[in-house]
Each structure stands twice: as structure tokens, then as C-alpha cells.
Amino acid sequence: MNPPARPRPRPGGRTARIREQVLDAVRAELTEHGYDALTVDTVAARAGVHRTTVYRRWRDTGGLIADLFAAAADIDWHPRDTGSLRGDLAVLNAEIQESFTEQPSIAAALVAVSFRSEEAARALQQLWEDRYAQSEIIVERALRRGELPPRTDPRALLIAATAPLYHQLVLLRTPPDPGLPDRAAHTATVAGRAGAFTSPR
Amino acid sequence: MNPPARPRPRPGGRTARIREQVLDAVRAELTEHGYDALTVDTVAARAGVHRTTVYRRWRDTGGLIADLFAAAADIDWHPRDTGSLRGDLAVLNAEIQESFTEQPSIAAALVAVSFRSEEAARALQQLWEDRYAQSEIIVERALRRGELPPRTDPRALLIAATAPLYHQLVLLRTPPDPGLPDRAAHTATVAGRAGAFTSPR
């Protein structure tokens, strides 16, 4: 869910440009009016693209939402290397917090949509899976530096580090706490060093 | 969100009995057909109660949902005392996991509704706040037993212990992992003992 799900401009001429205009319109409609109000016609009008073009290429709102997630998945994202486990996790958490607190928040809109559409739920699940897989390098680097005991499970540590952010921002909906990204990073680091995420055997 | 949001039968005669029938019908409609299909008329029909009775007492679906959360908040819930921090947290996490994996899951339905209605979002926030406040006794008992360093922040520890459950069950929507309640309890206990949740000063 990080960074904000906005693809960089890519080469590709008219087709790519139209896709960008249409997906920008989907994002704007979702964050302003929500999933219920989303129609191919309003998206086409907002994008300044003929509605038959949108129908032909995306078919329906399901197709538009699926392409929105695909565009988010295409972003060439890598976690920052700060030189320490706690630093890397704190930056990761700060990016998550930023993506849910910026106005408008596309991340928050995508989560809301995932409670309305099975297809969106699966796409979001896949996007999160990709981001966690891309983030495992953080734990691998810490293992190489000797910051963590051998056989530390990267995924368990990453979920423990990030879950409090998602819980507070998405489910408890508490006002964003500027200290939380670093505190959650600290907690996961302390727990990791103490062997809380080592797999048995 | 735990235990399952089903109030125990209470004395009170006809009024209480009607409320119970109506809220049971709301739960059944929500878990079977979702928030979109919820109407006062279908609830009244399912409850076997005259629709004017439902309109008079609950006014609209917003009133029904609000009363559903109120009934959940009324449950006289207390966390179990197993004699150890890890044990208490594992039981708490097992209850959370059970509430989201049982079929039908009222907890899952309430979370889904909270993404549809601002009023429901606030009610869920309050319900979670109540449950976390009621759960702080777990940390207080551990502090009295000397299991945790002084100035451990109960709320921060409880959120770290439970967040991975909510993250996996509600957001990542991974298949329920029977080992997760205990593992997340273990992680939070290890982090707590290592001082990860002590407040500064």
C-alpha cells in the first residue's frame, strides 16, 4: 500500500496517455465520491475520453478498479536502506502512515473498495503480498549485519512491525500519531532481537 | 470485537424480547445479504414483528445498526485470567480469531458496515475502545506479577499483541492460521519484557 498508488508517467504514446487520464479520473472519483458513485460514464467525462473508448478497453467499473490495482502493482518500489533494521522499518512505516493520511488517500479508498468488491479484495491481497515480499530484503539485510538471530522469519517480523499502523489508521481510525511509525519499528526490532520471530527447528 | 456480538437474554418482558428478535434478524440479514440489502421491512418480516413497531422504535437502518453496536457494547465481557501475560494474550487473541472466523461472523459484518456508514464507523471505534480499556487489566496484572518493566504502556502492548490478528484476518484476509493467536501473544510478551512499550520519562 505504499508508496501512493500513482504510476509514474511512462512512454507509450496515446494508449498509455489515455490509460493515465482514465486511471487519474477513477482515483479522483473514488476519493471524492466513493465506490457507490463510480460509473464508466462519469469516469469517461472526467478523463475527457470518449465513453465508448472506456467501455471497449475496461468494460465496466470492475475492469477500471482491477486496472487501478494493476497500476499500483506496477510501481517500481523498493524499501529504503538506512543501514539499520529500526531505521528501515521506521521509513517503511512512515510511508504507510503517509499513504493513509494524505488527502485524498488512494490507499484508504482502495481498502474501502475491497470491502465492496470480491475482485478488489483479491487484488488488494495480491498488492499487499507483493509489498511484503519486496520488503523482506529489510530483514535479510539485518540478518547479514547480525542484527537478528538466525532463522528469523522475515514475514512475521514485517507484519508485526506494520500491523499496528494499519490497525490504528484503517480499523481503529484513530487520529494519526506522528510517533507511531518509529515506535512500532522499535517494538518489532526489540522483539526480533529477543528472538520472537525465529521459526522452530 | 470479542466475544461474538450476541447479547445474553435479559429480563424485561415483551420490549426486550422484541429487541432481541429484531437484532437477531439484523445480524442474520447482515451476514447473509450484507448492508446493501438491509431494509427495515426485511428485518421486520424476518423478526416476525410488525413493521410499524420497527419504524417507531428504530426509525431506519441507521438506527438498527446503532442498536446492534449498543447491544455488543452491553455484553458483560472480561478478559480471562490465566496467570501469565502470554496466556492471557493468547486467550484474547484466540477469541478475536474465533469471532472473525466463525460462520457467520458478526464481527466481520460489523467491520464491513463500518466502511459503509460513518455512524457505524464511530460505533465500532467506541466498541473497540471499550474492549481495549477492559483488556488493560491483563497488563496491570502482569505488572503486579513483575512480568513487565514499570511504566509499560498497557494500550501500546495490547495493540501490538492484537494488531497482527486483525491485520491478517480483516485486511490481508489470509486463511486463519491456528498458531497465530499464540505466536502474536508470544511476540508481544517478549517485546514487553524487553521494555519495548515503556513510556519515556
Side-chain angles (χ1 to χ4, degrees):
Chain A
M1 293 305 303
N2 44 68
R6 197 180 300 278
R8 296 164 311 165
R10 286 189 298 180
R14 193 178 124 76
T15 304
R17 207 167 55 243
I18 286 179
R19 181 184 184 214
E20 217 182 306
Q21 282 164 238
V22 168
L23 293 187
D24 275 343
V26 175
R27 284 182 202 102
E29 286 292 318
L30 270 188
T31 52
E32 284 170 31
H33 307 297
Y35 179 78
D36 280 329
L38 193 73
T39 68
V40 169
D41 288 355
T42 52
V43 166
R46 182 158 200 154
V49 169
H50 203 284
R51 53 195 288 278
T52 52
T53 307
V54 180
Y55 279 109
R56 201 164 47 228
R57 180 148 167 203
W58 287 275
R59 266 197 40 217
D60 53 22
T61 53
L64 287 166
I65 296 290
D67 202 30
L68 194 59
F69 280 100
D74 273 354
I75 296 173
D76 184 31
W77 179 82
H78 296 282
R80 269 246 295 285
D81 186 354
T82 67
S84 77
L85 176 62
R86 179 176 174 170
D88 286 3
L89 294 174
V91 170
L92 178 67
N93 279 348
E95 286 184 22
I96 293 169
Q97 176 134 311
E98 166 67 16
S99 75
F100 280 94
T101 52
E102 64 183 354
Q103 292 295 333
S105 165
I106 293 149
L110 292 182
V111 169
V113 171
S114 78
F115 282 92
R116 309 297 315 286
S117 144
E118 272 301 316
E119 198 181 3
R122 277 192 302 273
L124 180 60
Q125 215 176 355
Q126 186 58 51
L127 183 57
W128 258 320
E129 171 60 33
D130 292 351
R131 290 290 184 263
Y132 278 114
Q134 286 161 323
S135 299
E136 291 190 358
I137 182 90
I138 290 175
V139 180
E140 287 155 17
R141 286 194 298 243
L143 280 162
R144 281 200 296 272
R145 284 188 302 256
E147 280 195 78
L148 289 169
R151 291 200 317 280
T152 294
D153 177 349
R155 189 62 64 100
L157 190 152
L158 289 168
I159 288 187
T162 57
L165 275 285
Y166 288 113
H167 194 44
Q168 301 255 20
L169 293 166
V170 183
L171 296 178
L172 302 183
R173 296 183 181 85
T174 48
D177 169 353
L180 185 60
D182 188 58
R183 270 205 323 280
H186 172 59
T187 301
T189 303
V190 168
R193 278 195 204 125
F197 307 108
T198 51
S199 41
R201 186 169 40 125
Chain B
M1 293 308 301
N2 45 68
R6 196 181 303 276
R8 295 166 310 164
R10 286 190 299 181
R14 195 179 123 77
T15 305
R17 208 167 52 242
I18 287 178
R19 183 186 184 214
E20 216 184 305
Q21 282 165 238
V22 167
L23 294 187
D24 275 344
V26 174
R27 286 182 201 103
E29 286 292 317
L30 271 187
T31 52
E32 285 171 29
H33 308 297
Y35 179 78
D36 280 330
L38 193 73
T39 69
V40 170
D41 288 355
T42 51
V43 166
R46 182 158 200 154
V49 169
H50 203 283
R51 54 196 287 279
T52 54
T53 306
V54 180
Y55 278 110
R56 202 165 44 230
R57 181 146 166 205
W58 287 275
R59 267 196 39 215
D60 53 23
T61 53
L64 288 167
I65 296 289
D67 202 29
L68 193 60
F69 279 101
D74 274 355
I75 295 174
D76 184 32
W77 179 82
H78 296 283
R80 268 246 296 283
D81 185 353
T82 67
S84 76
L85 176 62
R86 179 176 175 170
D88 287 2
L89 294 174
V91 169
L92 178 67
N93 279 348
E95 286 183 21
I96 293 169
Q97 176 133 311
E98 166 66 16
S99 75
F100 279 94
T101 51
E102 64 183 355
Q103 292 296 333
S105 166
I106 292 149
L110 292 182
V111 169
V113 171
S114 78
F115 282 92
R116 309 296 313 288
S117 144
E118 272 301 315
E119 200 182 2
R122 276 192 303 274
L124 181 61
Q125 217 175 354
Q126 187 57 52
L127 182 57
W128 258 320
E129 171 59 33
D130 292 350
R131 291 290 185 263
Y132 277 114
Q134 287 161 323
S135 300
E136 291 190 358
I137 183 91
I138 290 175
V139 179
E140 287 155 17
R141 287 194 297 243
L143 280 162
R144 280 201 297 272
R145 283 188 301 255
E147 280 195 76
L148 290 169
R151 291 203 314 281
T152 294
D153 178 348
R155 190 61 64 101
L157 189 151
L158 289 168
I159 289 186
T162 57
L165 274 286
Y166 288 113
H167 194 44
Q168 302 254 22
L169 293 166
V170 183
L171 297 177
L172 302 183
R173 295 182 183 87
T174 48
D177 169 353
L180 184 60
D182 187 60
R183 270 205 323 280
H186 172 60
T187 302
T189 302
V190 167
R193 279 196 204 124
F197 306 109
T198 52
S199 41
R201 182 166 43 116

